[in-house]
Amino acid sequence: MSTEYVHVADLDDLRAEGRRLVNENGQAIALFYEDGAVRAIDNRCPHMGFPLTQGTVDDGVLTCHWHHARFELACGDTFDPWADDVPTYPVEVRGNEVWVKPVRERDDPPAVHWARRLDTGLEENLRLVLAKSAVGLDDANVAYRDPYVSALEFGTRYRESGWGPGLTIHTALANIRDSLDRDGRRRALYQGAVEVAGDCAGEPPRFAQPAFEPADRSPERLTEWFRECVELRDADGAERVLHTAIRSVSPTQVCGMLYAAATDHRYLDTGHALDFVTKAVESLDHAGWDAAEDVLPTVVSGLANAERAEEDQEWRQPVDLAAVLDDAFEDLPEENGSGEWREPDGFVETLLGDDPDAVVDALSDAVDAGASTTQLAGVVRFAAARRVAQFGTANEFNDWNTVLHTFTYANAVYQGTLVTDTPLLYRGVFDAAASVYLDRFLNTPPARIPDGDADADPEDALSRLLDAFDVEGGADAASRHAADFLAGGGDPDALREALGGALVREDAGFHTFQAVEAAFQGALDSDGDRKTVFLVAAARYLAAHTPTRREREQTFRIAERLQAGESLHDTE
């Protein structure tokens, strides 16, 4: 590519014409004569690629006719953040000749440019800008962590109410990133950023409480203070304690504090409060513990202000589940189990049964036999996945959320047991099992989990599965095709990749993102029939909530085409 000035026009001709399109080194350059000066800019509007030679210049401002983006012609800067600045080229007038150097002025490296545009997209809640940034950053080979952390930091700083659905989705998508192909990963970053920006739009910023002055305080004392503040719904006091703990005790002890408070009451906010704690903790797997003091305090308000299930009628009538659990908690050990417990036959069927006393007794016996919090949480998570996989379509559509809340809560408890060994998380396991019990009628009659056809062609089954996401009411078909794929010898990794790819192409809601991520986590931890159940649950829930309008996918495809230099219109 030439980096020298090239002759592009005669000045008199350009003055008479006012503008001209020239092509040099494969670049379409728009020349304008304005106020006695010659300007050279990229002919593609940076918003959606419309030819700027067809725009209008007035008082030194160039307006694109497609979406009316405006640019200061002399430097290319835009008046409209959604449009981006248009690149300019150096110009020299030599006598009556106009010479242009076909090298853009002020061109930042792509990684720098798209990181800056990602920030703008988050600040202004601009989906096309976020899509362009996701594509541009990936094309520039920027590590996923960098834009993930940018959106994480934005979400924790600019939402007064703290951690919410947007950051949960952003982190859930980061968690399943390794299950996606390259296209899916680009869309995952875009979807997460869109959710974070939407959550923060119109919200006041968040101002953190300070830590206490340095002093030696035991983890036990800090935990006691933190739990008491949450109990009294004193979010400010709890946040100060948490800031202090993050600076003075180990990450495991900090996580223990959070999960203690999250299980002091039953099933807070239908499971969302503990799920948000887990996702905030998991975000540090991507961002690093150094971000803990910015991230973890954002969950405090949710803990302190959460609705407590023991105050709800369904947890009190006709069976006082809260009282039954309180009695069981009195006998819980002060240390985590040894892990020597082995799941007895029929244990899951007991959890899925209609006798709450039998459920609690089975869990208590498991704890007495040495079941660790992780072991027990894993089995309860599987039982919750069964509720989703066998959800009967005779129920009201919104009842999908009921079984989903239980499943994602159970998954959050399980993930919590991996970061802290506090025995207080047994309470979360019992809460999840109680919610599984309460959901029993949503499996009446239960949908059948397909056995799968061992003679099925995996490629054909996968194609049929993806087709099920394009029609309403495809839940049963999706379950069958997912089971056939696995029974026919299909690779579970390929199934996760396909399900994840389908997810990030939809205008999925909060719960759909949660469902797929929790199912993926369960499948990765399981083998055999249990792996199948988790993946069938993911396929069934996703199919029940698709197709959507796919507006986000349309925006993303536009961004991809623009990044590839394609034209979006018929005009030359």
Side-chain angles (χ1 to χ4, degrees), residues 18-36:
R19 66 194 65 195
R20 176 179 291 186
L21 175 63
V22 299
N23 285 279
E24 294 294 338
N25 293 327
Q27 300 179 73
I29 300 175
L31 302 177
F32 292 90
Y33 185 85
E34 170 71 9
D35 289 337

Side-chain angles (χ1 to χ4, degrees), residues 48-124:
M48 290 184 66
F50 192 80
L52 291 176
T53 49
Q54 296 191 24
T56 299
V57 178
D58 186 27
D59 292 332
V61 177
L62 169 62
T63 301
C64 175
H65 282 191
W66 199 358
H67 296 95
H68 305 284
R70 298 162 299 153
F71 306 94
E72 204 277 271
L73 190 56
C75 65
D77 289 352
T78 184
F79 289 79
D80 306 294
W82 44 267
D84 206 350
D85 299 333
V86 64
T88 60
Y89 298 88
V91 176
E92 287 186 1
V93 177
R94 302 172 183 175
N96 191 47
E97 295 180 339
V98 177
W99 291 68
V100 171
K101 186 176 183 179
V103 177
R104 294 175 172 183
E105 295 181 304
R106 301 189 310 153
D107 226 4
D108 291 330
V112 174
H113 173 79
W114 291 117
R116 176 171 55 83
R117 291 300 286 163
L118 176 64
D119 291 340
T120 299
L122 291 166
E123 293 162 3
E124 303 287 341

Side-chain angles (χ1 to χ4, degrees), residues 266-466:
R266 312 281 60 75
Y267 200 49
L268 297 177
D269 274 349
T270 61
H272 285 134
L274 187 142
D275 189 39
F276 286 2
V277 168
T278 294
K279 284 296 172 287
V281 170
E282 290 173 344
S283 76
L284 301 177
D285 292 337
H286 306 289
W289 187 258
D290 288 345
E293 200 165 351
D294 293 326
V295 171
L296 297 183
T298 64
V299 305
V300 170
S301 178
L303 289 173
N305 297 308
E307 294 182 2
R308 299 164 177 178
E310 62 266 35
E311 300 169 349
D312 293 340
Q313 178 178 339
E314 66 176 350
W315 283 69
R316 291 295 189 181
Q317 296 291 338
V319 177
D320 193 343
L321 281 176
V324 171
L325 293 178
D326 285 341
D327 290 342
F329 294 164
E330 291 181 0
D331 297 325
L332 288 177
E334 295 183 359
E335 293 184 357
N336 204 338
S338 64
E340 296 177 356
W341 172 76
R342 294 296 177 264
E343 181 185 334
D345 293 341
F347 189 77
V348 171
E349 297 308 320
T350 299
L351 297 180
L352 292 169
D354 58 5
D355 184 347
D357 292 322
V359 171
V360 173
D361 288 345
L363 293 173
S364 297
D365 289 345
V367 174
D368 292 342
S372 68
T373 54
T374 301
Q375 283 181 309
L376 212 50
V379 181
V380 173
R381 177 178 62 173
F382 173 69
R386 282 268 301 269
R387 290 280 190 237
V388 178
Q390 296 188 283
F391 182 85
T393 53
N395 295 296
E396 284 192 313
F397 188 79
N398 284 340
D399 282 331
W400 277 105
N401 293 342
T402 303
V403 293
L404 182 280
H405 289 149
T406 304
F407 178 40
T408 54
Y409 178 83
N411 179 63
V413 172
Y414 177 85
Q415 300 300 331
T417 67
L418 303 181
V419 297
T420 177
D421 62 356
T422 175
L424 293 178
L425 267 175
Y426 281 123
R427 300 182 304 183
V429 175
F430 278 70
D431 286 351
S435 191
V436 168
Y437 161 77
L438 288 172
D439 295 345
R440 63 197 182 282
F441 289 114
L442 299 178
N443 289 155
T444 305
R448 188 177 70 85
I449 298 177
D451 295 328
D453 182 0
D455 295 327
D457 175 27
E459 185 175 343
D460 179 65
L462 193 60
S463 176
R464 292 175 181 272
L465 172 62
L466 295 178

